[in-house]
Amino acid sequence: MKASELLDIIPKTPTFKKYGKVHRVVGLMIESQGPESSVGEVCHIHMKSRGKEKIIPAEVVGFNGELVILMPYTSMQDISPGSLVEATEKPLEIKVGPSLIGKVIDSLGNPLDGSTLPYGLSSVHTEKDSPNPLSRPPIDEVMEVGVKAIDSMLTVGKGQRIGIFAGSGVGKSTLLGMIARNTKADLNVIALVGERGREVREFIERDLGEEGLKRTIVVAATSDQPALKRIKGAFTATAIAEYFRDKGMNVMLMMDSVTRVAMAQREIGLAVGEPPTTKGYTPSVFAILPKLLERTGTNTNGSITAFYTVLVDGDDLNEPISDTVRGILDGHIVLDRDIANRGQYPAINLLKSVSRLMNHLADPSHKQAATRIRELLSTYLKSEDLIQIGAYKKGSSKEVDEAIDYYPNIISYLKQDVMEKRSFKESVEELIQLAETGE
């Protein structure tokens, strides 16, 4: 470090530290008398464990009269009345840089394999404001994801934000793995929030694979970790994606799942005394979602194309979190359990899914072919019950007859093996041919 840089740092260095002490622990929260701090600031709680000094990081989440309310990032074990609380006067920061690519880290930016962070990383805050709306360039370029049904029927643009809505066990993680391996993005950032511990390694090794991990940063916050750490997993992944976007890259951010972020925020909200509203979700949940989701998209340097999975409670697409997220994003992909039960993967229900930017991205022949396939699929499904029980007589309707002829080839086209890769050009050419000839 140069002498001039050191001289700049000296005036910014605090000349004294602020301390407080733990007053009591209530549920998930720690109340302390001091130190002087602000909401979002990180504090260090000093304690002794088995004769050794131990430090637990915690974040200021509110105040109760003269008491500071803290929530720890780790277990509260060994915290006792009178434990020293030190203010850092900083929000949560993580280290980011190109040498982080290929790593699996936790919500605080530490490698999960126990290794040390590489050198040459930069510090960034996990919580930032979203880009100014007038500084966002329009989305006018296609982002190839390598999944036929999405590229051809639900075309995605660079900087678009899409929700993947599905119940449990319908193939969300598998679809994210396909996108991560096949996409033309410069870099993948994947946030696994609230996942089972078993699923993290399985996702990395089976769904993502060695090829996908080489250009991916994974942020994992499993379901057994404190609520605050699960929320920070989402914000940390977004901050990493923002760092590379500002470097001029086209980043693919995938988050599984937004629902578990909302559940973690509900835990915190209830713990600090917020009133429960719709289905027990607190008002802060509906405030944090747009704050998180609006940070992605385009800016003057690069783009973040984002896929957010939403765990649909009881396959109800109108439950509060699904409804809120769908209103914020630029499109939604619905995975249908009935389609999955038929053996069609990815189990995308095209008639319930939409990309709000497809009309601006696709050329006329592509849009015409996609519209025709949708019409044929809709016509068939409206008459499916009659067709299946043999009550429909051929010749009763020209449209239904045509839909019956096309249907097997449409389903065959929409199916894609997990390891199969198709380019955007190939997918669109096949779609146009299918719409014109039925083959």
Side-chain angles (χ1 to χ4, degrees), residues 421-434:
K421 184 175 181 178
R422 290 294 180 94
S423 70
F424 179 81
K425 185 179 178 182
E426 289 173 340
S427 298
V428 174
E429 286 176 351
E430 284 184 40
L431 178 75
I432 292 171
Q433 183 180 352
L434 175 64

PDB file of all heavy atoms in Angstrom, residues 421-434:
ATOM      1  N   LYS A 421     -28.248 -30.220 -24.569  1.00  0.00           N
ATOM      2  CA  LYS A 421     -28.023 -28.785 -24.754  1.00  0.00           C
ATOM      3  C   LYS A 421     -28.464 -28.386 -26.158  1.00  0.00           C
ATOM      4  O   LYS A 421     -28.093 -29.032 -27.140  1.00  0.00           O
ATOM      5  CB  LYS A 421     -26.538 -28.443 -24.554  1.00  0.00           C
ATOM      6  CG  LYS A 421     -26.247 -26.960 -24.628  1.00  0.00           C
ATOM      7  CD  LYS A 421     -24.791 -26.683 -24.294  1.00  0.00           C
ATOM      8  CE  LYS A 421     -24.493 -25.195 -24.351  1.00  0.00           C
ATOM      9  NZ  LYS A 421     -23.080 -24.895 -23.978  1.00  0.00           N
ATOM     10  N   ARG A 422     -29.259 -27.343 -26.255  1.00  0.00           N
ATOM     11  CA  ARG A 422     -29.720 -26.827 -27.547  1.00  0.00           C
ATOM     12  C   ARG A 422     -29.421 -25.337 -27.628  1.00  0.00           C
ATOM     13  O   ARG A 422     -29.682 -24.609 -26.678  1.00  0.00           O
ATOM     14  CB  ARG A 422     -31.226 -27.047 -27.716  1.00  0.00           C
ATOM     15  CG  ARG A 422     -31.625 -28.495 -27.910  1.00  0.00           C
ATOM     16  CD  ARG A 422     -31.093 -29.055 -29.219  1.00  0.00           C
ATOM     17  NE  ARG A 422     -31.462 -30.434 -29.403  1.00  0.00           N
ATOM     18  CZ  ARG A 422     -32.538 -30.827 -30.070  1.00  0.00           C
ATOM     19  NH1 ARG A 422     -33.346 -29.919 -30.594  1.00  0.00           N
ATOM     20  NH2 ARG A 422     -32.822 -32.105 -30.205  1.00  0.00           N
ATOM     21  N   SER A 423     -28.921 -24.913 -28.773  1.00  0.00           N
ATOM     22  CA  SER A 423     -28.668 -23.491 -28.951  1.00  0.00           C
ATOM     23  C   SER A 423     -29.994 -22.772 -29.222  1.00  0.00           C
ATOM     24  O   SER A 423     -30.981 -23.386 -29.628  1.00  0.00           O
ATOM     25  CB  SER A 423     -27.699 -23.252 -30.115  1.00  0.00           C
ATOM     26  OG  SER A 423     -28.334 -23.555 -31.349  1.00  0.00           O
ATOM     27  N   PHE A 424     -29.999 -21.463 -29.019  1.00  0.00           N
ATOM     28  CA  PHE A 424     -31.187 -20.652 -29.260  1.00  0.00           C
ATOM     29  C   PHE A 424     -31.625 -20.770 -30.719  1.00  0.00           C
ATOM     30  O   PHE A 424     -32.817 -20.934 -31.018  1.00  0.00           O
ATOM     31  CB  PHE A 424     -30.892 -19.189 -28.904  1.00  0.00           C
ATOM     32  CG  PHE A 424     -32.048 -18.263 -29.145  1.00  0.00           C
ATOM     33  CD1 PHE A 424     -33.084 -18.147 -28.228  1.00  0.00           C
ATOM     34  CD2 PHE A 424     -32.113 -17.495 -30.306  1.00  0.00           C
ATOM     35  CE1 PHE A 424     -34.152 -17.293 -28.449  1.00  0.00           C
ATOM     36  CE2 PHE A 424     -33.178 -16.634 -30.536  1.00  0.00           C
ATOM     37  CZ  PHE A 424     -34.196 -16.537 -29.611  1.00  0.00           C
ATOM     38  N   LYS A 425     -30.659 -20.723 -31.628  1.00  0.00           N
ATOM     39  CA  LYS A 425     -30.965 -20.790 -33.066  1.00  0.00           C
ATOM     40  C   LYS A 425     -31.626 -22.118 -33.415  1.00  0.00           C
ATOM     41  O   LYS A 425     -32.637 -22.155 -34.135  1.00  0.00           O
ATOM     42  CB  LYS A 425     -29.685 -20.607 -33.870  1.00  0.00           C
ATOM     43  CG  LYS A 425     -29.901 -20.543 -35.370  1.00  0.00           C
ATOM     44  CD  LYS A 425     -28.583 -20.341 -36.104  1.00  0.00           C
ATOM     45  CE  LYS A 425     -28.804 -20.322 -37.621  1.00  0.00           C
ATOM     46  NZ  LYS A 425     -27.528 -20.179 -38.366  1.00  0.00           N
ATOM     47  N   GLU A 426     -31.084 -23.220 -32.895  1.00  0.00           N
ATOM     48  CA  GLU A 426     -31.655 -24.545 -33.171  1.00  0.00           C
ATOM     49  C   GLU A 426     -33.080 -24.657 -32.624  1.00  0.00           C
ATOM     50  O   GLU A 426     -33.972 -25.174 -33.311  1.00  0.00           O
ATOM     51  CB  GLU A 426     -30.785 -25.636 -32.528  1.00  0.00           C
ATOM     52  CG  GLU A 426     -29.440 -25.847 -33.191  1.00  0.00           C
ATOM     53  CD  GLU A 426     -28.562 -26.818 -32.421  1.00  0.00           C
ATOM     54  OE1 GLU A 426     -28.829 -27.027 -31.212  1.00  0.00           O
ATOM     55  OE2 GLU A 426     -27.612 -27.353 -33.012  1.00  0.00           O
ATOM     56  N   SER A 427     -33.283 -24.159 -31.404  1.00  0.00           N
ATOM     57  CA  SER A 427     -34.611 -24.246 -30.778  1.00  0.00           C
ATOM     58  C   SER A 427     -35.657 -23.490 -31.582  1.00  0.00           C
ATOM     59  O   SER A 427     -36.774 -23.977 -31.793  1.00  0.00           O
ATOM     60  CB  SER A 427     -34.553 -23.692 -29.348  1.00  0.00           C
ATOM     61  OG  SER A 427     -33.681 -24.451 -28.550  1.00  0.00           O
ATOM     62  N   VAL A 428     -35.308 -22.284 -32.039  1.00  0.00           N
ATOM     63  CA  VAL A 428     -36.257 -21.463 -32.798  1.00  0.00           C
ATOM     64  C   VAL A 428     -36.534 -22.072 -34.164  1.00  0.00           C
ATOM     65  O   VAL A 428     -37.689 -22.103 -34.627  1.00  0.00           O
ATOM     66  CB  VAL A 428     -35.742 -20.015 -32.929  1.00  0.00           C
ATOM     67  CG1 VAL A 428     -36.646 -19.199 -33.846  1.00  0.00           C
ATOM     68  CG2 VAL A 428     -35.658 -19.354 -31.561  1.00  0.00           C
ATOM     69  N   GLU A 429     -35.512 -22.580 -34.831  1.00  0.00           N
ATOM     70  CA  GLU A 429     -35.695 -23.208 -36.152  1.00  0.00           C
ATOM     71  C   GLU A 429     -36.614 -24.422 -36.051  1.00  0.00           C
ATOM     72  O   GLU A 429     -37.487 -24.628 -36.899  1.00  0.00           O
ATOM     73  CB  GLU A 429     -34.336 -23.614 -36.739  1.00  0.00           C
ATOM     74  CG  GLU A 429     -33.520 -22.422 -37.251  1.00  0.00           C
ATOM     75  CD  GLU A 429     -32.147 -22.827 -37.743  1.00  0.00           C
ATOM     76  OE1 GLU A 429     -31.760 -24.005 -37.527  1.00  0.00           O
ATOM     77  OE2 GLU A 429     -31.449 -21.979 -38.330  1.00  0.00           O
ATOM     78  N   GLU A 430     -36.415 -25.232 -34.994  1.00  0.00           N
ATOM     79  CA  GLU A 430     -37.276 -26.405 -34.790  1.00  0.00           C
ATOM     80  C   GLU A 430     -38.714 -25.979 -34.508  1.00  0.00           C
ATOM     81  O   GLU A 430     -39.662 -26.619 -34.969  1.00  0.00           O
ATOM     82  CB  GLU A 430     -36.747 -27.251 -33.624  1.00  0.00           C
ATOM     83  CG  GLU A 430     -35.526 -28.086 -33.967  1.00  0.00           C
ATOM     84  CD  GLU A 430     -35.117 -28.971 -32.808  1.00  0.00           C
ATOM     85  OE1 GLU A 430     -36.008 -29.528 -32.139  1.00  0.00           O
ATOM     86  OE2 GLU A 430     -33.909 -29.091 -32.555  1.00  0.00           O
ATOM     87  N   LEU A 431     -38.877 -24.911 -33.743  1.00  0.00           N
ATOM     88  CA  LEU A 431     -40.214 -24.408 -33.417  1.00  0.00           C
ATOM     89  C   LEU A 431     -40.943 -23.953 -34.683  1.00  0.00           C
ATOM     90  O   LEU A 431     -42.125 -24.288 -34.888  1.00  0.00           O
ATOM     91  CB  LEU A 431     -40.115 -23.245 -32.424  1.00  0.00           C
ATOM     92  CG  LEU A 431     -41.452 -22.608 -32.040  1.00  0.00           C
ATOM     93  CD1 LEU A 431     -42.217 -23.510 -31.083  1.00  0.00           C
ATOM     94  CD2 LEU A 431     -41.247 -21.229 -31.417  1.00  0.00           C
ATOM     95  N   ILE A 432     -40.254 -23.207 -35.526  1.00  0.00           N
ATOM     96  CA  ILE A 432     -40.881 -22.702 -36.760  1.00  0.00           C
ATOM     97  C   ILE A 432     -41.270 -23.862 -37.667  1.00  0.00           C
ATOM     98  O   ILE A 432     -42.365 -23.878 -38.245  1.00  0.00           O
ATOM     99  CB  ILE A 432     -39.918 -21.721 -37.478  1.00  0.00           C
ATOM    100  CG1 ILE A 432     -39.752 -20.436 -36.635  1.00  0.00           C
ATOM    101  CG2 ILE A 432     -40.439 -21.367 -38.869  1.00  0.00           C
ATOM    102  CD1 ILE A 432     -38.671 -19.501 -37.142  1.00  0.00           C
ATOM    103  N   GLN A 433     -40.402 -24.839 -37.770  1.00  0.00           N
ATOM    104  CA  GLN A 433     -40.696 -26.010 -38.588  1.00  0.00           C
ATOM    105  C   GLN A 433     -41.891 -26.792 -38.028  1.00  0.00           C
ATOM    106  O   GLN A 433     -42.773 -27.238 -38.771  1.00  0.00           O
ATOM    107  CB  GLN A 433     -39.466 -26.946 -38.666  1.00  0.00           C
ATOM    108  CG  GLN A 433     -39.695 -28.160 -39.571  1.00  0.00           C
ATOM    109  CD  GLN A 433     -38.485 -29.071 -39.627  1.00  0.00           C
ATOM    110  OE1 GLN A 433     -37.429 -28.744 -39.112  1.00  0.00           O
ATOM    111  NE2 GLN A 433     -38.640 -30.216 -40.257  1.00  0.00           N
ATOM    112  N   LEU A 434     -41.950 -26.919 -36.694  1.00  0.00           N
ATOM    113  CA  LEU A 434     -43.062 -27.619 -36.048  1.00  0.00           C
ATOM    114  C   LEU A 434     -44.383 -26.888 -36.303  1.00  0.00           C
ATOM    115  O   LEU A 434     -45.397 -27.520 -36.609  1.00  0.00           O
ATOM    116  CB  LEU A 434     -42.786 -27.709 -34.539  1.00  0.00           C
ATOM    117  CG  LEU A 434     -43.904 -28.315 -33.672  1.00  0.00           C
ATOM    118  CD1 LEU A 434     -44.146 -29.787 -34.040  1.00  0.00           C
ATOM    119  CD2 LEU A 434     -43.550 -28.191 -32.190  1.00  0.00           C
TER     120      LEU A 434
END
